[in-house]
């Protein structure tokens, strides 16, 4: 693993990366990069559901020690939190960033510089948080960072509402995919994220991400190099559809998937208007969720390996 090189370096050398950038940037002129398909001209700063035009908006960046263990290592995951979101869940745990728009616009050169700063801080990876609506900007900035020495794995840390047709353009760019798998039930997805197609979209996205990168592999120190990490936030009253989610991951992705079953749900933003969401998850509910994962043969559970 010592000689590990992220995939994007080869795409840069062969100039394939520039073809992908051109396609993504052109796509901004009538944006259908995600399932919302707003068709706004973001190159002219028109805004769709994600409220993001030509430039990326960054809320904050820095080494993060609260991510999954293989991303954090000893020096932290180099997170870049993007502003706004293409999903807009009513219980968003980062609603000040995603709904209230906390953040500032950055030119591509500044975004490249942020990546390089994170490398200088010793981070093990560059972790783009909520990147779906910022992918053109990320890829536009990438060659500038590569020219100045960026060689860390890139993490695509997404809510999972991603189109396969867009993900195909990232083949070889992101070494690590970290999608949520939020809901199994279209009705719940409609109610909580106004996205009834979420379960089907996310399932297709997970298949494509796994096709590109496979199961998570780590180096001799346990630090992630390549592959898929799946997050599942347990919701009160089993609203997340945990059993179906675990069954899908085990049977259609891989039993060797690295899965983070998360217990940190707390009522935030619009959740207080939904009695069922207006409480934390009980210990019993969380243990039931973990047992579901184990029941279907998932054995790489973050925090329980
Ligand atoms: S990325 Fe934004 S503008 Fe483009 S389709 Fe999705 S929500 Fe709409």
């Amino acid at each position: 693993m010592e000689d590990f090189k992220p995939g994007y370096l080869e795409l840069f050398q062969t100039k394939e990366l520039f073809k992908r950038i051109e396609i993504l940037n052109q796509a901004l002129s009538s944006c259908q990069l995600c399932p919302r398909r707003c068709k706004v001209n973001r190159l002219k700063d028109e805004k769709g559901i994600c409220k993001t035009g030509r430039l990326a908006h960054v809320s904050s960046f820095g080494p993060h020690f609260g991510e999954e263990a293989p991303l954090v290592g000893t020096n932290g995951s180099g997170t870049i939190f993007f502003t706004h979101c293409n999903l807009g869940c009513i219980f968003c745990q980062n609603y000040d960033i995603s709904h209230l728009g906390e953040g500032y616009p950055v030119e591509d050169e500044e975004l490249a510089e942020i990546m390089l700063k994170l490398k200088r801080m010793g981070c093990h990876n560059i972790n783009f948080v909520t990147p779906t609506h910022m992918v053109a900007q990320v890829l536009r900035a990438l060659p500038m960072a590569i020219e100045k020495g960026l060689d860390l794995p890139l993490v695509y840390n997404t809510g999972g509402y991603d189109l396969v047709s867009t993900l195909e353009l990232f083949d070889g760019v992101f070494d690590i995919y970290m999608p949520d798998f939020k809901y199994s039930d279209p009705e719940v997805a409609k109610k909580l994220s106004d996205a009834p197609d979420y379960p089907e979209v996310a399932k297709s996205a997970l298949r494509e991400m796994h096709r590109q990168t496979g199961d998570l592999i780590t180096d001799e120190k346990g630090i992630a190099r390549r592959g898929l990490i799946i997050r599942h936030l347990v919701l009160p009253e089993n609203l997340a559809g945990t059993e179906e989610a675990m069954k899908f991951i085990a049977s259609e992705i891989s039993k060797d998937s690295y899965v983070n079953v998360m217990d940190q749900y707390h009522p935030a933003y619009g959740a207080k208007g939904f009695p069922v969401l207006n409480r934390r998850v009980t210990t019993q509910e969380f243990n039931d969720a973990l047992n579901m994962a184990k029941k279907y043969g998932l054995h790489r559970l973050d925090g329980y390996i």
Side-chain angles (χ1 to χ4, degrees):
M1 199 61 67
E2 277 292 306
D3 54 358
F4 172 84
K5 291 257 184 297
Y8 59 79
L9 292 180
E10 190 180 334
L11 295 181
F12 176 75
Q13 277 155 10
T14 61
K15 309 237 181 292
E16 172 65 20
L17 184 58
F18 296 93
K19 287 185 199 160
R20 309 268 185 98
I21 292 169
E22 181 62 24
I23 294 168
L24 283 166
N25 207 43
Q26 276 305 313
L28 292 181
S29 66
S30 176
C31 189
Q32 300 190 62
L33 285 173
C34 88
R36 300 292 188 193
R37 299 186 187 279
C38 303
K39 297 188 185 170
V40 292
N41 188 343
R42 294 178 56 191
L43 294 174
K44 292 191 172 165
D45 247 358
E46 290 173 12
K47 314 272 165 63
I49 285 176
C50 65
K51 302 188 186 115
T52 307
R54 184 178 67 83
L55 295 180
H57 282 59
V58 170
S59 169
S60 65
F61 65 90
H64 196 313
F65 293 86
E67 300 286 82
E68 283 70 2
L71 296 180
V72 169
T74 49
N75 298 340
S77 177
T79 45
I80 303 176
F81 286 90
F82 287 128
T83 307
H84 296 303
C85 178
N86 71 325
L87 203 47
C89 310
I90 62 155
F91 57 88
C92 182
Q93 310 285 283
N94 289 321
Y95 71 97
D96 45 347
I97 303 172
S98 62
H99 288 264
L100 304 182
E102 190 181 284
Y104 55 93
V106 293
E107 295 286 349
D108 299 344
E109 294 79 2
E110 292 173 83
L111 186 54
E113 189 48 40
I114 290 172
M115 296 181 211
L116 293 164
K117 262 188 204 159
L118 292 167
K119 176 179 166 169
R120 288 196 292 272
M121 289 174 179
C123 297
H124 300 290
N125 45 67
I126 306 295
N127 181 347
F128 300 101
V129 184
T130 321
T132 304
H133 56 307
M134 305 279 188
V135 288
Q137 292 84 345
V138 167
L139 264 73
R140 286 191 323 229
L142 190 53
M144 300 173 205
I146 295 170
E147 277 166 4
K148 291 186 179 170
L150 186 75
D151 58 358
L152 299 177
L154 305 183
V155 184
Y156 189 84
N157 180 347
T158 172
Y161 200 45
D162 292 270
L163 286 176
V164 169
S165 54
T166 303
L167 292 171
E168 283 170 347
L169 294 167
F170 309 153
D171 199 353
V173 176
F174 293 96
D175 291 284
I176 300 164
Y177 282 106
M178 186 159 67
D180 291 329
F181 190 84
K182 288 178 185 290
Y183 319 109
S184 303
D185 181 345
E187 279 183 30
V188 175
K190 164 79 182 139
K191 208 170 186 174
L192 304 187
S193 297
D194 195 22
D197 57 347
Y198 179 91
E200 281 318 304
V201 167
K203 283 178 182 173
S204 299
L206 262 61
R207 286 189 195 99
E208 173 61 16
M209 291 171 185
H210 188 257
R211 182 194 72 75
Q212 288 182 24
T213 61
D215 295 324
L216 184 72
I217 54 167
T218 57
D219 67 10
E220 59 287 346
K221 292 180 182 153
I223 294 169
R225 284 299 178 228
R226 188 175 169 80
L228 183 64
I229 298 172
I230 303 169
R231 283 177 165 175
H232 179 77
L233 180 67
V234 181
L235 293 176
E237 306 293 335
N238 194 29
L239 277 177
T242 300
E243 175 155 14
E244 205 184 323
M246 296 304 136
K247 189 175 173 188
F248 166 77
I249 294 167
S251 61
E252 296 195 42
I253 302 296
S254 163
K255 283 194 171 60
D256 295 326
S257 296
Y258 190 101
V259 181
N260 186 2
V261 180
M262 302 187 293
D263 65 353
Q264 62 261 50
Y265 172 78
H266 62 277
Y269 192 56
K272 295 191 171 102
F274 284 75
V276 69
L277 282 175
N278 202 10
R279 67 165 172 85
R280 289 179 177 264
V281 167
T282 64
T283 304
Q284 182 67 50
E285 283 173 321
F286 181 65
N287 287 339
D288 287 349
L290 273 183
N291 287 335
M292 284 302 164
K294 291 175 189 163
K295 172 179 152 187
Y296 289 104
L298 296 167
H299 58 98
R300 297 177 78 191
L301 301 175
D302 189 74
Y304 297 90
I305 299 173

